[in-house]
């Protein structure tokens, strides 16, 4: 009986889906955006759907945006929802946190009106004010349930004084303020910048690039054109092609800015408007360009199998963000080095910083790269006072795994192959030929194909496990070694981080440090050491030695406590990478391939 009931339920579901698909096939969807109160951070959306045939129509708002693995609940910013057929208001109401259901019995078309409050500055959230509108599309546009594959048209009526639109979406005719998307996956992957942004462009081997700069800055357009082109050309050489004919960089320049979010044919970058003038700031911007542009292959096309087609209503879990993001972090530096834009010393200093980050991470001893990837939805974007003890970044751990794999492949193949060949093969095999994402096992097999050896033990240690990384072994392949500049340091340590405001307030306690062992807590305010008031904690601690016993006076929840603490030796490392003496011929071969000497 249960089997019969189940079959009947499935049959009804298929009939329902078929009816919806039929309705969706006839649907015409369009949006009109206006900004009557841009100064108050609102965009008004009018959505029209024609060709309906169902009794009810449900509209949904995504709860997250691809590339940023956190449920952000974009529907919280929606106000004043109403549905209309001509001049008649239709019955409508919310049925879930991100779903509005409309009674469309006997109605073939409807108009929906709603407002979105947009006042969060980031590369992944919408922001509107009188100077511009950044439309992070997954937080602006609702979609009809069951119609993600449908095209749509967006008409933008700009706020007063705005005269430019920058987006990778195709224009309708010659009107730059009317654009179209072939489906919602493309629409939600195509941010839109509207305002008076400074636009410059250039071409790289048949691909046209537009750079839209909002917020001003001390950037040199001609220098950026040359250097961005070098990065783009080097990256395309890894994969054998640039799949885009047109690509858009949207750059938001603020007093302090950072971060980026990749898209299929565009990216959004955050930068400091006055940071282009010094070499460190300029180099940092180029690294951001290299990172996000590399994603047009790695993630947007070559991707873990869970990352597409997307479910926009819940988490999309993968254990491979250490590849998707971590490898991209590794290649951002490698690409710049291979384009001869980094001296070798600068590249090795950057790599050493990644290694130091992992070696000094207590969380790296607890959480694996695979676990970090899977738990991104609940941990990476929601750090707390204990995150440094309990988690590791899939960016930094993935970057370290990337360099280990690269050197293993180069060494095992005697300089014939590198991680570049793995990425090229995986891109062509899975994105272009099989037209799908890869599984954990398939990516591992791709690595083994070019290394010519089994990677079971490697994955057990470094991907699924938390064993300390054998940097000496892998750097040794290229004739390099790690030197700990703090090796002779015998400084004492409390093992805490403190705030820089009024008072000395503990903000983090390192696992197994002196404070951890003897009970100093986050939010404790340290007022005295051995009965003497303290204003410069570092100076007091540095006057001691490991093993010394001190009494730490703290204020906790309004009460004074005196905690006996035994200072421990600081365990922090600071590695630099140096060449070994008398490198062998094979080591020099590996080094040449790895660093493109």
């Amino acid at each position: 009986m249960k089997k019969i009931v189940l079959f009947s339920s499935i049959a009804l579901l298929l009939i329902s889906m078929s009816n919806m698909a039929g309705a969706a096939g006839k649907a015409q969807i369009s949006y009109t955006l206006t900004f009557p109160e841009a100064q108050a951070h609102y965009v008004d959306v009018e959505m029209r759907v024609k060709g309906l045939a169902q009794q009810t129509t449900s509209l949904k708002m995504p709860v997250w945006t691809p590339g940023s693995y956190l449920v952000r609940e974009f529907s919280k910013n929606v106000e004043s929802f109403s549905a209309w057929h001509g001049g008649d208001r239709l019955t409508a109401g919310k049925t879930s946190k991100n779903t509005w259901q409309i009674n469309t019995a006997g109605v073939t078309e409807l108009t929906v009106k709603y407002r979105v409050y947009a006042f969060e500055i980031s590369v992944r959230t919408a922001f509107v004010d009188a100077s511009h509108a950044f439309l992070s599309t997954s937080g602006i546009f609702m979609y009809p349930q069951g119609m993600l594959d449908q095209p749509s048209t967006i008409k933008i009526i700009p706020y007063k004084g705005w005269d430019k639109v920058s987006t990778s979406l195709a224009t309708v005719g010659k009107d730059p303020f009317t654009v179209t998307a072939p489906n919602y996956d493309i629409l939600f992957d195509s941010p839109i910048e509207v305002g008076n942004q400074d636009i410059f462009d250039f071409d790289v081997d048949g691909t046209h690039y537009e750079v839209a700069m909002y917020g001003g800055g001390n950037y040199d357009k001609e220098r950026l054109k040359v250097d961005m082109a070098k990065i783009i050309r080097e990256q395309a050489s890894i994969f054998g092609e640039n799949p885009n004919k047109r690509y858009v960089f949207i750059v938001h320049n603020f007093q302090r800015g950072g971060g980026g979010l990749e898209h299929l044919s565009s990216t959004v970058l955050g930068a400091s408007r006055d940071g282009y003038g010094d070499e460190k700031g300029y180099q940092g911007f180029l690294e951001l360009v290299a990172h996000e542009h590399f994603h047009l292959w790695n993630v947007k096309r070559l991707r873990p199998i869970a990352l597409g087609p997307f479910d926009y209503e819940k988490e999309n879990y993968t254990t491979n963000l250490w590849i998707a993001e971590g490898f991209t972090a590794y290649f951002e530096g490698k690409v710049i080095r291979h384009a001869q834009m980094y001296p070798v010393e600068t590249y090795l200093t950057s790599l050493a910083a990644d290694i130091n980050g992992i070696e000094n991470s207590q969380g790296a001893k607890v959480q694996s790269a695979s676990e970090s990837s899977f738990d991104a939805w609940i941990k990476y974007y929601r750090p707390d006072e204990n995150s440094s003890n309990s988690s590791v970044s899939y960016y930094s751990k993935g970057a370290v795994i990337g360099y280990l794999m690269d050197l293993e492949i180069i060494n095992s193949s005697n300089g014939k192959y590198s991680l570049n060949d793995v990425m090229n093969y995986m891109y062509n095999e899975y994105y272009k030929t099989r037209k799908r994402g890869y599984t954990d096992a398939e990516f591992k097999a791709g690595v083994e194909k070019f290394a010519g050896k089994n990677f079971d033990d490697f994955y057990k240690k470094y991907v699924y496990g938390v064993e300390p990384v054998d940097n000496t072994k892998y750097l040794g392949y290229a004739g390099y070694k790690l030197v700990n500049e703090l090796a002779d340091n015998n400084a004492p340590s409390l093992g805490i981080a403190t705030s820089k405001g009024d008072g000395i307030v503990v903000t983090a306690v390192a696992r197994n440090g002196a404070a951890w062992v003897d009970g100093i807590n986050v939010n404790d305010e340290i007022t005295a050491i051995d009965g003497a008031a303290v204003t410069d904690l570092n100076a007091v601690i540095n006057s001691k030695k490991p093993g010394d016993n001190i009494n730490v006076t703290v204020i906790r929840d309004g009460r004074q406590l005196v905690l006996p603490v035994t200072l421990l030796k600081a365990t922090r490392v600071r590695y630099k990478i140096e060449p070994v003496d008398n490198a062998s011929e094979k080591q020099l071969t590996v080094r040449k391939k790895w660093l493109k000497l």
Side-chain angles (χ1 to χ4, degrees):
M1 180 60 72
K2 287 183 180 180
K3 290 183 180 180
I4 295 174
V5 171
L6 178 61
F7 177 81
S8 299
S9 299
I10 293 175
L12 289 171
L13 176 61
L14 290 174
I15 293 170
S16 174
M17 291 176 65
S18 176
N19 289 338
M20 183 169 286
K26 301 175 183 177
Q28 299 176 33
I29 306 168
S30 64
Y31 303 85
T32 300
L33 306 185
T34 56
F35 305 87
E37 292 186 295
Q39 83 289 347
H41 321 297
Y42 280 95
V43 51
D44 285 27
V45 183
E46 182 175 288
M47 176 184 185
R48 294 192 175 189
V49 184
K50 297 181 179 180
L52 295 172
Q54 57 263 45
Q55 298 293 301
T56 61
T57 298
S58 293
L59 300 183
K60 290 181 172 289
M61 177 75 81
V63 303
W64 70 291
T65 187
S68 183
Y69 306 101
L70 176 69
V71 172
R72 296 184 183 275
E73 310 292 19
F74 293 122
S75 59
K76 70 182 185 291
N77 297 317
V78 174
E79 300 176 16
S80 305
F81 182 96
S82 62
W84 303 80
H85 175 63
D88 297 325
R89 186 160 183 165
L90 301 176
T91 303
K94 290 191 77 171
T95 57
S96 73
K97 64 182 181 180
N98 68 317
T99 307
W100 289 258
Q101 189 176 84
I102 306 162
N103 181 357
T104 52
V107 170
T108 59
E109 62 181 80
L110 78 156
T111 300
V112 171
K113 300 178 182 180
Y114 60 92
R115 315 186 80 199
V116 177
Y117 180 71
F119 193 57
E120 182 178 350
I121 295 177
S122 82
V123 296
R124 52 194 168 264
T125 50
F127 181 90
V128 175
D129 67 8
S131 67
H132 80 130
F134 171 61
L135 306 175
S136 181
T137 46
S138 53
I140 299 294
F141 297 103
M142 296 183 185
Y143 63 93
Q145 183 176 12
M147 301 187 193
L148 283 172
D149 61 341
Q150 293 299 290
S152 60
T153 300
I154 301 98
K155 182 174 180 59
I156 300 165
I157 300 176
Y159 187 64
K160 57 186 178 183
W162 295 354
D163 59 8
K164 298 185 182 77
V165 175
S166 296
T167 180
S168 59
L169 292 172
T171 59
V172 176
K174 296 182 179 181
D175 180 5
F177 288 93
T178 303
V179 295
T180 184
N183 55 58
Y184 279 92
D185 286 325
I186 298 295
L187 177 58
F188 293 148
D189 209 15
S190 305
I192 304 170
E193 175 73 20
V194 192
N196 299 298
Q197 58 271 24
D198 181 22
I199 298 174
F200 63 91
D201 55 8
F202 57 95
D203 293 292
V204 182
D205 301 331
T207 301
H208 186 70
Y209 282 84
E210 175 185 318
V211 182
M213 291 283 198
Y214 164 78
N218 59 350
Y219 50 88
D220 181 333
K221 296 180 188 179
E222 296 308 313
R223 185 183 183 190
L224 281 173
K225 289 179 185 179
V226 172
D227 289 343
M228 291 171 75
K230 289 178 181 177
I231 291 169
I232 291 163
R233 190 169 286 114
E234 183 65 36
Q235 290 179 343
S237 72
I238 295 173
F239 296 93
E241 68 173 13
N242 188 331
N244 287 307
K245 292 302 180 184
R246 181 172 175 269
Y247 189 94
V248 178
F249 287 97
I250 298 173
V251 185
H252 292 153
N253 295 301
F254 295 105
Q255 183 177 7
R256 295 182 186 87
L261 187 64
E262 70 276 6
H263 298 282
L264 192 69
S265 303
S266 62
T267 188
V268 185
L269 309 179
S272 298
R273 67 170 62 96
D274 296 323
Y276 301 91
D278 65 85
E279 283 307 303
K280 183 177 181 181
Y282 184 71
Q283 199 71 52
F285 180 74
L286 291 183
E287 289 170 358
L288 182 59
V289 167
H291 183 102
E292 300 304 336
H293 189 266
F294 193 81
H295 272 314
L296 79 84
W297 292 278
N298 189 34
V299 171
K300 300 314 302 182
R301 290 171 175 85
L302 170 61
R303 59 176 176 80
I305 200 163
L307 296 185
F310 293 118
D311 184 333
Y312 295 102
E313 294 195 78
K314 63 182 182 181
E315 297 86 347
N316 291 222
Y317 293 102
T318 175
T319 55
N320 293 135
L321 292 182
W322 61 272
I323 301 171
E325 290 291 355
F327 276 24
T328 302
Y330 171 61
F331 273 99
E332 75 184 52
K334 183 181 179 183
V335 161
I336 293 176
R337 167 59 215 150
H338 278 212
Q340 307 301 311
M341 300 167 71
Y342 262 165
V344 169
E345 294 74 20
T346 300
Y347 173 69
L348 294 178
T349 298
S350 177
L351 177 60
D354 289 331
I355 294 171
N356 288 331
I358 297 301
E359 294 299 310
N360 288 316
S361 168
Q362 295 300 317
K365 302 180 177 81
V366 175
Q367 186 184 51
S368 71
S370 176
E371 291 170 332
S372 176
S373 300
F374 192 85
D375 281 344
W377 296 92
I378 57 173
K379 292 190 175 183
Y380 184 78
Y381 289 98
R382 290 173 174 161
D384 60 25
E385 70 283 347
N386 197 47
S387 292
S388 61
N389 292 317
S390 61
S391 60
V392 66
S393 165
Y394 48 79
Y395 285 86
S396 53
K397 185 63 179 289
V400 168
I401 292 174
Y403 108 79
L404 299 179
M405 281 187 173
D406 204 5
L407 284 171
E408 184 64 68
I409 294 167
I410 296 170
N411 183 70
S412 297
S413 67
N414 295 309
K416 183 177 181 181
Y417 300 119
S418 73
L419 191 59
N420 294 32
D421 296 287
V422 176
M423 302 304 284
N424 177 286
Y425 165 75
M426 295 297 293
Y427 173 78
N428 283 283
E429 179 66 20
Y430 288 92
Y431 168 65
K432 296 191 71 176
T433 302
R434 303 194 189 190
K435 303 185 186 306
R436 64 168 175 83
Y438 57 81
T439 65
D440 294 47
E442 287 167 342
F443 195 91
K444 176 173 172 286
V447 174
E448 293 171 338
K449 174 182 177 69
F450 291 93
K453 63 191 304 182
N454 183 282
F455 263 65
D456 285 355
D457 188 57
F458 183 99
Y459 267 66
K460 179 181 178 181
K461 289 179 178 178
Y462 302 136
V463 176
Y464 307 132
V466 294
E467 290 196 26
V469 174
D470 191 351
N471 292 290
T472 299
K473 170 186 172 181
Y474 291 92
L475 286 172
Y477 288 153
Y480 286 104
K481 62 182 179 181
L482 282 181
V483 176
N484 182 10
E485 296 179 305
L486 301 179
D488 298 327
N489 183 25
N490 195 41
S493 173
L494 263 179
I496 61 173
T498 59
S499 64
K500 298 179 181 179
D502 295 336
I504 302 170
V505 178
V506 178
T507 57
V509 177
R511 185 185 298 273
N512 298 325
W516 175 285
V517 172
D518 290 322
I520 295 177
N521 290 181
V522 167
N523 296 328
D524 285 351
E525 180 182 355
I526 298 175
T527 59
I529 302 290
D530 292 332
V534 58
T535 55
D536 188 340
L537 181 62
N538 288 334
V540 174
I541 298 301
N542 289 336
S543 70
K544 310 291 183 179
K545 62 183 184 296
D548 283 353
N549 297 311
I550 61 174
N551 290 308
V552 181
T553 302
V554 304
I555 303 298
R556 181 184 298 171
D557 190 29
R559 295 180 177 181
Q560 180 173 290
L561 300 174
V562 178
L563 302 172
V565 176
T566 301
L567 294 174
L568 301 178
K569 179 181 177 180
T571 59
R572 191 170 184 83
V573 299
R574 187 173 68 221
Y575 287 121
K576 62 179 180 180
I577 300 173
E578 294 183 347
V580 300
D581 296 329
N582 304 314
S584 69
E585 183 177 344
K586 182 172 183 180
Q587 285 175 318
L588 293 176
T589 296
V590 172
R591 184 187 299 179
K592 182 178 179 181
K593 177 76 170 182
W594 181 39
L595 300 177
K596 201 172 184 179
L597 300 177

